[in-house]
Amino acid sequence: MSEPTHPIGPHLRAVTDSPTKPRADTSISALTATELTEGWDKLGIRAGMTLIMHSSLSSLGWVEGGATTVVDSLRTALGPFGTLTVPTYTLRVGEQAPTYRAPHIVGFSNPVTRERRATGPVFLPNMPSETGAIPEAVRALPESVRTSHPCVSFTAVGAHADAITSRQTLGFAVGRDSPLGCLHDLQAYILLVGVGHNRNVFLHYAEYFTPQPRFRLWRFPMEIAGEYVWVEVIDMGADNNTHFPTVGRDFEQDAGIREVILGNARCRLIPVQEFIPFAITRLAELMTEDERVWREFRETDNGA
């Protein structure tokens, strides 16, 4: 990518050291829309790109206009033919946390479960997301389009928004037949703003294609033909920071991904089609090693 001709302002600097090294500069002033747009340009975001963004507004520091300014600046950088996608999850709708899978909780006869299922909310398209201020600002745009998955919805705005949100199965909601599959086909980029690869949903997508993926059950209420029912599906399991940070770090080092600091946030731009085959291979290696260690443990006295 060619370097921009404009000077780098006080809020922006390129860095080459480890992404895990903490940085903070509380002395800087508020970021403006212009400075954000310059930052996206330095990172390599170009007009017409398709992005999926994982972000932390607080990581940027003080932004004039808050999340709305961040979204507006990104849409300016992407131009009329670009597309921005964000996760707009509503995990509170369903049961997927370990608490609700534990034997003493799961089961219709349990009064706690029965009460929750009698009063739990059903997903609605205008339900606020739980994935942060920036995704919520995208969701609130009148022209944005959202998928209807009760727990793992995505919202997109821009040229390819309808295509990206046109398909998402209830089970394996981050697999091939999901917005992620469409984003892959569109040669999208993953934009990480102040967050790590533990937030990178494309690692779940990559695991979908590994030989031995980790699974979990989702349960969520839906209204079907006027009846309030609970649906149970299989989806990708939680990584819990086990392998995803390692895979993301290894890819960034292997691919020479450049990091840019915008405000206080470490930002990276990851090409999906290059990332996925690397992530599939690396995840498979790590999980094979897990299985080897566990097998050796079972074969010793410790595993008896």
Side-chain angles (χ1 to χ4, degrees), residues 97-110 113 219:
T99 300
Y100 297 109
R101 293 202 305 269
H104 66 286
I105 293 293
V106 172
F108 182 75
S109 60
N110 186 285
T113 303
R219 299 181 180 92

Side-chain angles (χ1 to χ4, degrees), residues 6 9 15 38 42 81 84 102 121 163 170 193 214 221 227 229 248 274 280:
H6 59 72
V15 296
E38 290 176 352
K42 178 65 179 176
F81 300 107
L84 175 62
L170 290 176
V193 177
R214 298 163 293 181
E227 184 179 1
V229 299
E274 287 83 353
I280 293 171

Side-chain angles (χ1 to χ4, degrees), residues 36-217:
L36 284 165
T37 302
E38 290 176 352
W40 308 137
D41 180 69
K42 178 65 179 176
L43 193 60
I45 294 173
R46 300 291 179 258
M49 273 187 174
T50 299
L51 300 180
I52 179 168
M53 181 187 195
H54 298 288
S55 60
S56 164
L57 177 62
S58 63
S59 72
L60 289 163
W62 178 22
V63 179
E64 288 185 2
T68 299
T69 299
V70 176
V71 173
D72 288 347
S73 68
L74 258 178
R75 296 186 70 190
T76 297
L78 293 171
F81 300 107
T83 309
L84 175 62
T85 306
V86 291
T88 46
Y89 301 164
T90 47
L91 304 183
R92 66 188 181 277
V93 168
E95 297 177 351
Q96 59 85 33
T99 300
Y100 297 109
R101 293 202 305 269
H104 66 286
I105 293 293
V106 172
F108 182 75
S109 60
N110 186 285
V112 175
T113 303
R114 189 164 60 248
E115 173 66 17
R116 173 180 167 75
R117 292 187 175 186
T119 60
V122 174
F123 173 81
L124 297 172
N126 63 349
M127 182 176 285
S129 71
E130 302 168 15
T131 44
I134 294 173
E136 179 61 13
V138 176
R139 185 204 64 79
L141 292 170
E143 64 271 35
S144 67
V145 188
R146 188 182 195 179
T147 64
S148 59
H149 194 282
C151 298
V152 193
S153 68
F154 291 84
T155 297
V157 62
H160 297 295
D162 287 334
I164 290 167
T165 58
S166 66
R167 58 180 182 176
Q168 186 176 27
T169 53
L170 290 176
F172 297 109
V174 293
R176 179 60 187 161
D177 293 320
S178 76
L180 302 181
C182 186
L183 286 163
H184 175 274
D185 295 344
L186 289 169
Q187 301 183 40
Y189 286 76
I190 304 157
L191 173 60
L192 302 178
V193 177
V195 299
H197 285 276
N198 60 336
R199 296 272 293 276
N200 181 358
V201 70
F202 258 107
L203 280 159
H204 288 296
Y205 179 85
E207 185 170 348
Y208 177 82
F209 296 99
T210 60
Q212 294 181 310
R214 298 163 293 181
F215 298 134
R216 66 178 163 187
L217 290 176

Side-chain angles (χ1 to χ4, degrees), residues 216-238:
R216 66 178 163 187
L217 290 176
W218 279 99
R219 299 181 180 92
F220 42 77
M222 296 184 68
E223 187 173 331
I224 301 176
E227 184 179 1
Y228 181 81
V229 299
W230 276 78
V231 177
E232 181 176 281
V233 299
I234 299 174
D235 215 318
M236 307 311 299

